Amino acid sequence: MIELLPKTHIDFVKKRFIFFTISGIVTLAGIISLSVKGLDLGLDFTGGTLVQVKFEKPVDISAIRTALKGAGIEAGIQTYSETNSFALKVKGTQENVNETADKMTAALKTIQGDSFTEEKRDYVGPVVGRDLSKKALFAIILSMFGIIVYVAFRFSNPVWGTAGVIGIMHDVFVAITAMSLANREVDLVIVAAFLTIAGYSINDTIVIFDRMRENMKKFPKMPMGQLINMSINECLSRTIITTLTVFITVLVLFLFGGSGINNFAFCMLIGTITGVYSTIFICSPIVYQWEHRAK
């Protein structure tokens, strides 16, 4: 394994209350933002107009987006490159379907005139999105329970599993907070990002916990705080390398991936940062705090 950093001796446990306070402030900001502003829910959850068109000649998606923006329309665009077709989705009520669709087709005429065919015009209800979000929430709750049981079995202590789940909840909530503060739209793609963040978070935490377990066997009489610091410092180079790899990849998507995946990339950027933050500064110190208070 490449060592990006020289061997470190950082006392993470001693600084735990500083980072507990930082997370508490971010959580409070999230609660306030969600209470005051809420989330900008996408068409998957609110419903809206769907228009599918097919162009006779190839058209770049940026040209469609520019034409719609010129008409004051913020639309989600899905491409079907093999057929040169596009599905355009705009939030709204069922009563305004024809009005919105006419406005969209009028905007599209500025690209290639009438050289496109309207294949579909419909109202997309929020039922499917709500159903899928409920299933996603159920999946998260079930997975958290499974994580607690698995980690409790593997590390012979439910505290470790609970600390890991707290880290997941922390990371997902920070990502939700960022979406609320930045006024970014939350749709089913973002729900997928939340699930990805949860998986990324617990994976990083388990690596540190696994090193802690190994060191507990090697040094059974070592104080827990010293053992946690040693384990985190030993994994720090690996943690930074893997996190930077993911971060740079997502950053490229954020900067150059286009507006279609910009919200997803933004959410993943936040999740990548909070994932490593919670592993080092939240989950492991929680284990120490819990074990320390139990004695």
Side-chain angles (χ1 to χ4, degrees):
M1 176 68 74
I2 300 173
E3 288 194 4
L4 184 66
L5 297 175
K7 192 172 182 179
T8 56
H9 302 280
I10 303 171
D11 191 345
F12 297 99
V13 172
K14 186 178 180 180
K15 298 179 175 64
R16 64 189 183 280
F17 289 113
I18 296 175
F19 297 103
F20 288 168
T21 302
I22 292 173
S23 291
I25 292 172
V26 173
T27 302
L28 180 62
I31 293 172
I32 294 173
S33 179
L34 291 173
S35 301
V36 176
K37 298 172 59 180
L39 289 171
D40 180 12
L41 297 176
L43 182 140
D44 296 325
F45 302 107
T46 62
T49 301
L50 167 67
V51 173
Q52 184 169 321
V53 296
K54 180 178 181 181
F55 285 85
E56 296 177 2
K57 300 177 182 177
V59 176
D60 192 82
I61 189 172
S62 60
I64 295 177
R65 186 167 286 111
T66 302
L68 293 175
K69 280 189 176 180
I73 302 171
E74 288 290 338
I77 304 175
Q78 183 177 356
T79 62
Y80 305 95
S81 55
E82 294 181 355
T83 59
N84 205 29
S85 298
F86 299 85
L88 314 174
K89 301 175 183 178
V90 178
K91 287 191 287 185
T93 61
Q94 190 168 5
E95 292 74 20
N96 296 328
V97 168
N98 288 326
E99 180 184 347
T100 304
D102 291 341
K103 197 174 177 182
M104 293 165 73
T105 53
L108 295 177
K109 289 179 181 178
T110 62
I111 303 174
Q112 293 182 358
D114 294 327
S115 60
F116 68 88
T117 305
E118 184 178 326
E119 297 182 320
K120 188 176 183 180
R121 175 183 293 202
D122 203 353
Y123 174 74
V124 180
V127 178
V128 176
R130 287 174 182 169
D131 182 57
L132 290 175
S133 61
K134 286 180 182 176
K135 289 179 179 177
L137 181 62
F138 178 74
I140 290 175
I141 294 173
L142 190 63
S143 64
M144 287 183 176
F145 176 74
I147 288 168
I148 292 177
V149 173
Y150 169 72
V151 177
F153 174 76
R154 185 170 177 180
F155 295 94
S156 303
N157 194 331
V159 171
W160 297 47
T162 304
V165 167
I166 291 174
I168 293 175
M169 295 171 66
H170 170 276
D171 297 343
V172 173
F173 188 76
V174 171
I176 293 173
T177 298
M179 296 300 290
S180 174
L181 291 173
N183 291 321
R184 289 180 175 266
E185 189 175 277
V186 175
D187 53 18
L188 289 179
V189 175
I190 300 302
V191 173
F194 293 152
L195 294 173
T196 305
I197 291 169
Y200 181 78
S201 173
I202 193 63
N203 178 65
D204 220 24
T205 303
I206 290 295
V207 170
I208 301 290
F209 281 2
D210 206 42
R211 180 58 62 91
M212 288 166 57
R213 185 182 61 166
E214 290 176 6
N215 286 332
M216 288 176 72
K217 293 178 181 177
K218 292 180 182 176
F219 311 100
K221 295 183 179 179
M222 182 178 286
M224 179 58 82
Q226 185 180 347
L227 186 137
I228 290 174
N229 283 329
M230 182 175 69
S231 302
I232 296 175
N233 279 297
E234 287 177 351
C235 296
L236 196 58
S237 179
R238 174 262 173 206
T239 301
I240 291 176
I241 290 173
T242 54
T243 302
L244 272 179
T245 303
V246 177
F247 183 83
I248 291 172
T249 303
V250 179
L251 182 63
V252 171
L253 289 176
F254 177 72
L255 295 176
F256 306 108
S259 59
I261 59 171
N262 192 259
N263 285 341
F264 175 83
F266 172 80
C267 191
M268 285 300 302
L269 275 178
I270 301 298
T272 303
I273 296 170
T274 57
V276 67
Y277 169 84
S278 67
T279 295
I280 295 175
F281 300 111
I282 302 296
C283 298
S284 301
I286 284 178
V287 171
Y288 170 80
Q289 189 67 25
W290 208 317
E291 299 278 357
H292 185 69
R293 293 188 64 179
K295 293 181 180 178

